[in-house]
Amino acid sequence: MALDLTEKILHHLNKVNQVDTLDLAQLFKEDHQKVIGALKSIQANGDLVNAEPQTHKRWELSGEGKEVVEKGSHEAVVYYSLPDDGMPQSELMKASPNAKVGFSKAMSLGWVQVDKASGTPIVKKKCDTIDDTVQKNLKLIIENKDNAIPDKEKQEYKKRKLLQEIVIKSFLLTKGKEFATELKKFEADLTTEMLLNGSWKNLSFKAYNLDALGVPPEGGYLHPLLKVRTEFRQIFLEMGFSEMPTNNFVENSFWNFDALFQPQQHPARDAHDTFFISDPKLSTKFPEDYLKRVKHVHSHGGYGSQGYGYNWKLGEAQKNLLRTHTTACSARMLYQLAQQKEFKPVKYFSIDRVFRNETLDATHLAEFHQVEGVIADYNLNLGHLIGVLYEFFNKLGITQLKFKPAYNPYTEPSMEIFCYHPGLKKWIEVGNSGMFRPEMLLPMGLPNKVRVIAWGLSLERPTMVKYGYNNIRDLVGPKVDLQMVQNTPICRLDK
Ligand code: PHE
């Protein structure tokens, strides 16, 4: 039976007592990496061999160096291209790709000269014969006689990028304590039979390789956004939040805007900012009583508010659209909560897609994902919101936060959230938050003292920061590299 590589190595070592893996590769006509692989298998089998790491330096020709071996040095090429009566310098420069270097070398070697007598510089040969030592020396490299080339020359050729020095690592092998010419056979499995007949006591078992990489899954791969979504979801669940249903991309203006006390003339309700749906254009089913209260709070106020004092129109509220924020879902959930017999405090979250009619650029797409958290309880205040945000962002590994007063039609007070990014060394805006207005909550029927704090952020922003993308189009859309999707590691936001 033919010996396999591990056995060939052991047999050879048995004869010579000491051998370098590079020599083995040459002897067995095998790739050096294969010999190293076989060595690893031998080492996994016990103390059969000692392997001392070695480094060898070797000179190797670059592509340009190989060309010199074939055609002569650039200076020789220049010299030989000159006819006896010379050639205009400008023409010579075009004669070969490396003419410029060759010309200046040939000048300093005294092989050529420039005659300017006629007005146009003419390059002429200055000697009858030349000795192309560069070519001769480089040929020695091919013949494995690099020791014959003086060190100074080798360094110069290296500078001229004709030669490069490469480092090769190998192992010097000697016999180890448990040297043998064959590998022990290890059992890979403990079987019922071995246990029953007691043979396991005398068998050697293969050690677990806990560093072995798993087999890459052949099936689907999760997109980075989904990986980051899983992390956010985990954080919310750890904090006791439950997920809201968000399975309707199509919403109507009533829940997306009116329920949130966003006036009907608000610029966000313009077709420039929102995708309206043409078919079906309008929604028809609304909770009638609630709709009346919303209409009233917009046009006349109530609950201690003056309202906006305009003529609220059902037709505007009926318009269907692609939801512009997941706060529309939060509004539906809070309305349902208010319809329960007895109010119970809740913590809700959602992570899903929203749509805005944006001008597309490196950081904006017309659709993105929002991460939203909502807490409803008696007597909550801004301190609770700030506290929860610290807790939430802490779990993302973000410890430094700053808040800036902001405006949302549905929250008062409202705060933009900034965090310090130690990697980027700057404060970046990460989200928006606030306490839902009484004009939004009271028409729903929530008890008077119930306060609702909420915040929202995009999923794309932290994903881009986490995985180092500057252009959102590398992450989402038709230009996405599927290999990137396969290669992105799992996400741990706090690491
Ligand atoms: N809906 C807001 C947005 O689209 C985010 C937000 C959610 C703000 C909840 C305050 C409260 O930016």
Side-chain angles (χ1 to χ4, degrees), residues 324-327 356 370 372-373 408 410-411 432-434 436 454-457:
T324 65
H325 52 187
T326 47
T327 316
R356 291 185 193 175
Q370 268 186 345
E372 183 151 320
N408 296 309
Y410 38 93
T411 52
N432 187 357
S433 66
F436 284 134
W455 70 98
L457 50 140

Side-chain angles (χ1 to χ4, degrees), residues 176-302:
K177 279 202 299 277
E178 303 171 72
F179 182 80
T181 50
E182 258 168 51
L183 297 186
K184 273 184 267 170
K185 287 275 173 281
F186 285 113
E187 300 296 334
D189 278 318
L190 178 63
T191 64
T192 349
E193 223 166 80
M194 291 174 191
L195 289 170
L196 285 175
N197 62 24
S199 65
W200 63 271
K201 287 181 206 155
N202 305 316
L203 293 171
S204 306
F205 288 90
K206 198 169 176 197
Y208 280 114
N209 177 6
L210 298 176
D211 296 327
L213 295 175
V215 182
E218 289 288 321
Y221 291 82
L222 293 177
H223 187 275
L225 280 173
L226 296 180
K227 292 180 181 165
V228 177
R229 185 180 72 173
T230 304
E231 272 289 285
F232 273 109
R233 185 176 272 147
Q234 198 55 41
I235 288 168
F236 276 117
L237 293 174
E238 276 170 24
M239 290 175 72
F241 285 67
S242 41
E243 191 160 4
M244 295 186 261
T246 49
N247 52 345
N248 59 312
F249 291 167
V250 175
E251 185 53 276
N252 54 53
S253 297
F254 179 75
W255 290 107
N256 196 83
F257 295 126
D258 297 278
L260 293 165
F261 197 52
Q262 190 140 326
Q264 295 190 325
Q265 319 77 23
H266 193 281
R269 300 178 71 144
D270 201 278
H272 290 297
D273 292 309
T274 299
F275 292 114
F276 287 95
I277 306 280
S278 50
D279 188 20
K281 206 175 163 66
L282 302 176
S283 285
T284 48
K285 280 200 204 111
F286 300 98
E288 283 307 322
D289 287 351
Y290 174 47
L291 184 113
K292 275 191 202 127
R293 291 194 294 271
V294 170
K295 175 181 171 142
H296 194 269
V297 78
H298 277 249
S299 21
H300 308 294

Side-chain angles (χ1 to χ4, degrees), residues 225 249 273 275 323-326 351-358 363-371 456-461 472 476:
L225 280 173
F249 291 167
D273 292 309
F275 292 114
R323 68 169 175 234
T324 65
H325 52 187
T326 47
I351 308 172
D352 211 341
R353 200 174 295 203
V354 300
F355 306 85
R356 291 185 193 175
N357 197 353
E358 301 249 22
T363 52
H364 293 89
L365 292 179
E367 53 187 289
F368 62 100
H369 293 78
Q370 268 186 345
V371 179
L457 50 140
S458 91
L459 183 64
E460 279 74 2
R461 188 88 183 259
I472 194 159
V476 185

Side-chain angles (χ1 to χ4, degrees), residues 72 89 342 485:
Q89 190 173 352
E342 196 190 336
V485 175

Side-chain angles (χ1 to χ4, degrees), residues 442-456:
L442 294 174
M444 289 176 170
L446 284 168
N448 230 317
K449 288 221 155 71
V450 167
R451 302 283 178 270
V452 182
I453 57 179
W455 70 98

